Amino acid sequence: MRAPMMKPTWLGVAAVALLAMPVSLSAQPGRRTTSDNSGVGVARVSMVAGDASRRHGRDTMSAESGMPLVSGDSISTGPASRAELKLDDSNYIRLDSSSEILLKQLGERAFQINIVHGSVSYTMMKYGEADVDLRTPNANVVPQKDGTYRIEVMGPKESKIIVRNGEAEVLTPAQNLHVKKGKSFVIREYEHGARQEVVSAPDKDTFDEWAQRRDRMLDDRRGGRWAGSPWYPGRVHLGVGWGGYPYWGSYWGDPLWGPYWGGYGFYRPTVIVRGGRGHRR
């Protein structure tokens, strides 16, 4: 008589799934930076709408999507044009029309960017913490947490910093200020001194709205609020939900509480393994 076969438990399935993964979860970083073999950061042009130029040393060329950028490069936009630069998976800077920035330093987790003139929007997504120094001719802006920071340089003696989300330290020759969400800091220099004031942030304009739409799209691609967190690491995701068959759908639920879309039943626990980045419901 043949011995009866034992039913595999969900713990056994989980063990097999973990062993089958080509890369362990512990080896997957919460956020990924882009760098060359020497550890020097390399940014990329992720989007251009209209005309944009890159200056590298003495050479000036048209900026195109996918173009790599290194420390010392400058990016400028023409009239009625915009550009977006990807510093890493979680940090982006966008230029409005007739604007220019200098990528002074691109490290793996350290960025110093000089805003020469015009208007830019800087986004640090959740779990994308980095040492960021955004410099205008008369102030340094240091984001303290994830958020969106609008900076305008109207001339060598006038700058405006708007904190749409997050918090920032603003350093000036006269004083250092802590600017919170929904506030705007303006500094104007005169012959006999400077005037500084913190006021309520102005209403969003079309550039702010465009930057916000881009943030939402990129955040969805990277997995929403769980991307990069300890519960949602790397590029291989493991979850335990209720369903009768392996997960083949396009969306994840929350990693801890579900539900997981794509199952065919709800009568036994199933280990769900998926490559690539998930998306929240």
Side-chain angles (χ1 to χ4, degrees):
M1 179 182 294
R2 188 168 60 179
M5 295 179 64
M6 295 186 66
K7 276 190 171 183
T9 65
W10 70 272
L11 287 176
V13 178
V16 172
L18 284 172
L19 291 174
M21 288 184 180
V23 181
S24 68
L25 291 177
S26 61
Q28 298 293 327
R31 62 183 290 275
R32 184 180 59 178
T33 58
T34 305
S35 64
D36 59 19
N37 292 333
S38 65
V40 178
V42 178
R44 290 191 181 276
V45 179
S46 53
M47 180 181 178
V48 174
D51 297 323
S53 300
R54 173 201 184 192
R55 187 170 69 248
H56 178 74
R58 297 182 179 180
D59 299 326
T60 301
M61 62 206 77
S62 178
E64 299 177 353
S65 180
M67 175 180 285
L69 305 168
V70 296
S71 297
D73 284 355
S74 293
I75 294 290
S76 59
T77 53
S81 302
R82 289 171 179 166
E84 177 186 88
L85 310 185
K86 176 182 177 181
L87 305 179
D88 62 21
D89 281 354
S90 304
N91 290 271
Y92 292 80
I93 187 166
R94 302 178 178 95
L95 290 76
D96 201 2
S97 59
S98 302
S99 302
E100 181 180 356
I101 63 172
L102 168 65
L103 303 176
K104 187 71 174 178
Q105 177 187 347
L106 294 176
E108 289 204 14
R109 294 195 177 207
F111 311 119
Q112 180 184 326
I113 300 174
N114 295 359
I115 294 87
V116 180
H117 63 80
S119 182
V120 305
S121 178
Y122 187 93
T123 293
M124 179 189 293
M125 295 183 177
K126 196 166 186 179
Y127 306 111
E129 288 79 4
D131 295 325
V132 182
D133 185 1
L134 307 172
R135 299 193 176 188
T136 75
N138 52 11
N140 289 18
V141 182
V142 182
Q144 299 298 295
K145 59 187 297 186
D146 55 275
T148 303
Y149 305 88
R150 172 82 175 264
I151 301 174
E152 299 178 3
V153 175
M154 289 76 80
K157 296 183 178 182
E158 184 175 358
S159 303
K160 179 188 292 185
I161 295 93
I162 304 171
V163 179
R164 295 297 184 191
N165 289 292
E167 297 178 6
E169 289 290 334
V170 180
L171 289 64
T172 72
Q175 63 178 325
N176 299 342
L177 295 173
H178 189 79
V179 184
K180 296 184 178 181
K181 174 182 176 181
K183 296 296 182 179
S184 173
F185 172 77
V186 182
I187 177 172
R188 299 181 180 92
E189 293 184 2
Y190 301 96
E191 184 178 353
H192 301 291
R195 179 182 177 183
Q196 304 178 19
E197 58 181 346
V198 177
V199 296
S200 297
D203 293 337
K204 295 179 180 178
D205 59 16
T206 56
F207 180 54
D208 290 312
E209 292 170 352
W210 174 73
Q212 188 176 47
R213 288 194 300 270
R214 293 289 299 168
D215 285 340
R216 287 174 179 170
M217 184 187 72
L218 293 168
D219 196 40
D220 284 343
R221 285 182 180 177
R222 67 196 288 270
R225 67 185 173 189
W226 291 102
S229 75
W231 299 104
Y232 200 81
R235 286 189 168 274
V236 178
H237 307 304
L238 173 67
V240 177
W242 289 90
Y245 293 89
Y247 173 85
W248 298 106
S250 300
Y251 294 90
W252 279 75
D254 285 346
L256 292 181
W257 304 109
Y260 295 89
W261 288 53
Y264 294 93
F266 297 89
Y267 60 90
R268 71 182 184 197
T270 300
V271 171
I272 301 163
V273 180
R274 176 177 178 234
R277 291 189 179 273
H279 296 264
R280 59 179 172 143
R281 180 180 174 185

